[in-house]
């Protein structure tokens, strides 16, 4: 997580995507807390490559679907707005 925030391009795009996907799948399995998995998404505000964004869209879309209709959904939508806006070049 620290490396992604410091200099995400030190990790190839496909591996950044895999980290996001793996973290969410491990959280979905109940092995990793979602708070930890979602902490990885903080770096996305610096992400410029499409591949990690595709992985993020898939995994964050799953959470969006699961939370829709729950009391936590409004909080989720507000917090996900800040994660889901790619930085322009």
């Amino acid at each position: 997580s620290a490396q992604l925030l410091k200099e995400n391009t030190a990790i190839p795009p496909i591996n950044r995507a895999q980290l996001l996907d793996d973290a969410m799948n491990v959280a979905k399995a109940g092995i990793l807390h979602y708070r930890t998995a979602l902490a990885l998404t903080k770096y996305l505000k610096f992400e410029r490559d499409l591949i990690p964004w595709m992985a993020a869209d898939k995994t964050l879309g799953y959470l969006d679907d699961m939370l829709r209709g729950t009391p936590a959904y409004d909080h989720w939508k507000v917090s996900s707005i800040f994660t889901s806006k790619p930085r322009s070049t």
Side-chain angles (χ1 to χ4, degrees):
S1 175
Q3 179 63 51
L4 290 171
L5 287 169
K6 182 179 176 186
E7 186 182 352
N8 66 333
T9 57
I11 301 170
I14 191 71
N15 297 113
R16 296 193 304 266
Q18 192 64 51
L19 285 169
L20 291 166
D21 191 60
D22 287 350
M24 290 299 183
N25 282 322
V26 173
K28 198 184 313 183
I31 299 168
L32 182 67
H33 196 284
Y34 271 106
R35 179 173 286 127
T36 304
L38 288 169
L40 282 177
T41 66
K42 290 180 181 179
Y43 98 94
L44 286 170
K45 61 186 168 193
F46 304 111
E47 183 59 71
R48 296 176 187 261
D49 197 283
L50 179 62
I51 296 170
W53 274 107
M54 289 170 60
D57 182 58
K58 181 181 93 175
T59 59
L60 295 175
Y62 167 80
L63 284 178
D64 190 75
D65 289 344
M66 298 313 305
L67 292 171
R68 186 170 286 141
T70 70
Y73 189 69
D74 287 340
H75 178 70
W76 163 252
K77 287 309 284 184
V78 169
S79 63
S80 67
I81 287 169
F82 298 107
T83 300
S84 63
K85 291 190 182 269
R87 199 173 182 184
S88 61
T89 55

